[in-house]
Amino acid sequence: MCRKRARLATILAPLLASSVLMAASAHAADKPVAAPAAAPQAPGKATPAERSEMRRADPLTRMAFWSTEAERDGRDVEAGVGLSQALRALGRYDEAADAAARILVVVPDNYDALMESARANVARGQGFYAIEPGRKAAALQPRDWRPLSLLGVAYEQAKRDDEALAAHRQAVALAPAEAVPLTNLAMHLASTGDLPGAEKLLRQASALPTATIQVRQNLALVIGLQGRLDEAEKLARQDLPPESVDNNLAWLRAAVGQEGATRSWTAVKAGG
């Protein structure tokens, strides 16, 4: 890997994980996890109405709720997956991975638990350990692009670029109208040094109804890394407050003009 490609990979790697996890979280919130139909309700367990209400709560409240439910019944898939999701939302990725792993001991082929295991491992930068659950999830739901996008990022973290590219392309083929798989493929190309190819895909993604602020900011990043800072600034100011844009532009100038910048684009955006 040449120095330029290595630098781009360091710059862009956090964005690959964050964009796919954001999409995965959104889909997970839209699609409640179903408890096994045959399982009787354990004494003291929350009612279905209480559980439904809890899905709209903040992550800390959800963590406390689902932790109690999981303690009451270790075989409660909904509670275990809900706990993993809440822990991940709080940035407690190791605990989130452990919560998903406990459920997989009981139900090793549960799609939602497999996805949470993959998400948590990708989030903590341990993509190698996301590969097996990601593959199983993809086999269970072969028409779902989400496990393939997760696999793409997992393979990248495991430094298996050919498999990463194949997974990203499969995800795009399954969901060409979804912005996230296009974005993840684009950022993979950018990390390998193909900034023009990444820009082309990000422009397609940003024109889709499913595009988010992060998609547009990734486009601004890729444009800026090609030295077109004025164009990048114009895009960035559409979504971010002035101080954030100023910080991002300062970082971009350093990234373009020097061999390495001390902080990542993601850290700058977060005020870090």
Side-chain angles (χ1 to χ4, degrees), residues 217 220 231-247 249 253:
Q217 290 307 304
E231 187 177 351
E233 177 180 2
K234 183 177 180 181
L235 275 172
R237 293 200 186 281
Q238 293 178 12
D239 296 307
L240 298 179
E243 60 274 14
S244 296
V245 175
D246 291 342
N247 285 338
L249 289 172
R253 291 188 185 97

Side-chain angles (χ1 to χ4, degrees), residues 146-239:
R146 292 174 298 163
L148 288 166
S149 269
L150 277 168
L151 272 172
V153 180
Y155 284 131
E156 287 164 10
Q157 291 180 348
K159 304 186 185 304
R160 292 159 62 169
D161 285 350
D162 290 344
E163 290 165 286
L165 180 60
H168 284 311
R169 290 196 185 281
Q170 283 181 275
V172 170
L174 285 175
E178 287 284 349
V180 167
L182 265 176
T183 299
N184 287 332
L185 173 57
M187 299 309 285
H188 175 73
L189 294 180
S191 73
T192 65
D194 185 5
L195 292 173
E199 179 185 345
K200 180 180 178 180
L201 291 177
L202 285 168
R203 288 191 181 280
Q204 293 177 27
S206 64
L208 293 171
T210 54
T212 63
I213 287 175
Q214 185 163 7
V215 174
R216 294 189 291 273
Q217 290 307 304
N218 285 346
L219 175 58
L221 169 62
V222 167
I223 288 172
L225 287 171
Q226 295 177 82
R228 290 148 48 203
L229 297 181
D230 290 344
E231 187 177 351
E233 177 180 2
K234 183 177 180 181
L235 275 172
R237 293 200 186 281
Q238 293 178 12
D239 296 307

Side-chain angles (χ1 to χ4, degrees), residues 6-59:
R7 179 162 59 88
L8 284 171
T10 301
I11 290 168
L12 298 167
L15 292 172
L16 293 166
S18 60
S19 58
V20 71
L21 288 169
M22 284 176 63
S25 298
H27 281 74
D30 292 340
K31 182 181 179 182
V33 180
Q41 181 165 316
K45 285 181 71 171
T47 65
E50 289 171 332
R51 290 181 171 221
S52 179
E53 181 179 356
M54 190 51 54
R55 296 187 192 104
R56 299 187 291 272
D58 63 273

